[in-house]
Amino acid sequence: MLDAINRIITAADDFLWGWFMIILLLGTHLFMTVRTGFVQRKTLLAIKLSVTKDPDSSGDISPFQSLATALASTIGTGNIIGVGTAIALGGPGAVLWCWLTGVFGIATKYAESLLAFKYRVTTNDGRMLGGAMYALERGLKLRWLGVLFALFTLFASFGIGSGVQVNAISSIFRQTFDSDNSLIINIFGKDYSVISITVGIVVAFVTACVIFGGIKAISEVCEFFVPAMAGLYVLGCVIILIMNHGYVSGAISLIINSAFSSRAAVGGFVGSSVMIAARYGIARGLFSNESGMGSAPIVASAAQSRNAVRQGLISSTGTFWDTVVVCLLSGLVLVSSMLKYPSEFIGINGDQLTFTAFRQIPYIGIPILLIGIVLFAYSTVLGWSYYGERCVEYLFGTKGMIPYRISFLIVLLAGSVISLDIVWSLADIFNALMAIPNLIAVICLSGVVVKDTRYYLYQNHLDEFDTINHNHLQ
């Protein structure tokens, strides 16, 4: 029965991530890059704005807290486990496709965040709510499509936001503390790892302690964790690249060549076609930076920012840090390590690649990776719990909040013992389903994005307050 379900999930995953999704996603990235006048060139300005407070503007949290919460959801296992999985399944060329998805995805992240902020609403108790569902409903008058987006995001929060993350934590802890599978117990005729069960319980407990405090508690935790966890992981990557300095240029060459040509197996790599490299690189790129998915704009709409363009710029830096910087470092670390020690990487799964690479650093390599994965995954869980809550509120009102939080915690418990392949496939499926209505909003409302961008950004009116009169949520 489980094998049949797995085959169905895999088939759905392959269908959704065929040429249609690749063209739709990259096409939107390229389209918005041109339409926004290559907004990527404003990245330095966007970084400056992200650390500039705007306390006189309306919103629930500061712009940096908004960015930190969004980054908490994006800089995560996609950067560590996801890049390794992409390389294992799509070859080294997947790294370039993942990186390109991030470079051009900056424009889409900017546009979708601008729209989420522009069409946000104010609840009767003064909270700010926004996202693709409100842009679809208020900007395009397509509430039914907004409902679909909210449903897909709600389901995705149980996969990408909880199941994948706790699964990644339990997987790395099993490899570290129970590599011989000695800590196994039998429950109702099925074997489970004590390590996995413990991880599920601990993660569910510490998550519950935060998410019941709402967006302010979530953003405060993320504001503290994100800089620390990203800095620690980047430090580990830099150390490995210094150790592999003689293979870095070869890794770059192999990544570029493999992205545009079919290659046979080399060292620890599998053979891969251009389509497979693009498919897994783009899928993992979207999973990592979520540009075009419509998730991060949900928290962007809660930020204290004086106009939609400012917030769009701030949100776009999330894709820059996540994929253009961190995912690239991960890819270079893995490919250079596989070139240096090819025999050690033959026949291992994608989730084990980063573990093997970080083992090169004596004594501290594995602890850095373990701490990084725990912090990355935990912060991602917090961010996605907020996304799910906002979608529940859009669909069912505030009465659905408590049942959702309880369900979210139950998935965290179960996710620690679910097969990784099934979890990743489900995450890919809901990523694609979320992206479709969100990209429709971005493309159909691109004229609104262009108009605001020209006025606020290219005519130097960024310091003006937004004149939009936000409607109260009925």
Side-chain angles (χ1 to χ4, degrees), residues 179-241:
S179 58
D180 59 353
N181 292 322
S182 59
L183 300 176
I184 298 295
I185 59 175
N186 188 279
I187 302 177
F188 299 117
K190 188 172 180 61
D191 291 335
Y192 294 97
S193 169
V194 174
I195 296 294
S196 296
I197 295 173
T198 303
V199 165
I201 293 172
V202 172
V203 172
F205 174 76
V206 294
T207 300
C209 292
V210 178
I211 65 175
F212 282 92
I215 182 57
K216 292 188 181 295
I218 293 173
S219 64
E220 288 172 359
V221 173
C222 292
E223 184 180 24
F224 171 78
F225 272 126
V226 168
M229 71 182 187
L232 182 66
Y233 180 70
V234 168
L235 175 63
C237 289
V238 170
I239 292 174
I240 294 175
L241 289 177

Side-chain angles (χ1 to χ4, degrees), residues 413-435:
L413 291 170
S416 62
V417 295
I418 295 175
S419 169
L420 183 65
D421 293 337
I422 294 177
V423 175
W424 275 109
S425 296
L426 286 172
D428 278 348
I429 289 172
F430 287 116
N431 286 357
L433 292 176
M434 283 178 61

